[in-house]
Amino acid sequence: GINAEYGIKMWRTTNLPSLDNTNTLLGCNAGVMSIDIDERDHYLVAGSNDAAVRLWQVNSSAVKSQFMGHDNKVYTVKFYNHSQRIVSGSHDRTLRLWDVRSNK
């Protein structure tokens, strides 16, 4: 099942100093180490302690893709090439390149 403990909370900051929780993205099985949001704010990518990289569609809160390939915690994720690709770095001492369109 989905563990809400590892959800990614999204907050509205327009009414500072108060914050409004607008959404929680679920689907991680372990703590999240890094996130990035694409340049149009449509997608969020996260790397986590379960060695996975996950991609969410922000407006629907749905996990669009899950990328597996690292053997250890994913410490960093970043969109690049106009958000068509994701690069991830892991404690396993590897960098991986993922294609958002082909989910590979």
Side-chain angles (χ1 to χ4, degrees), residues 35-78:
I35 66 166
D36 192 27
I37 299 175
D38 79 313
E39 57 198 30
R40 296 175 298 162
D41 296 336
H42 293 167
Y43 295 100
L44 182 143
V45 63
S48 64
N49 284 339
D50 63 359
V53 173
R54 291 180 181 84
L55 179 69
W56 282 266
Q57 230 174 334
V58 173
N59 63 351
S60 71
S61 302
V63 175
K64 181 182 182 308
S65 303
Q66 179 171 290
F67 304 98
M68 301 299 292
H70 285 294
D71 294 326
N72 212 316
K73 300 173 184 179
V74 177
Y75 284 132
T76 188
V77 292
K78 183 76 176 154

Side-chain angles (χ1 to χ4, degrees), residues 5-6 28-34 47-50 74:
E5 177 181 350
Y6 301 117
C28 289
N29 300 315
V32 172
M33 301 297 291
S34 177
S48 64
N49 284 339
D50 63 359
V74 177

Side-chain angles (χ1 to χ4, degrees), residues 4 6 14 17 19 24 31 34 80 97:
Y6 301 117
T14 54
L19 297 172
T24 301
S34 177
Y80 83 101
L97 186 60

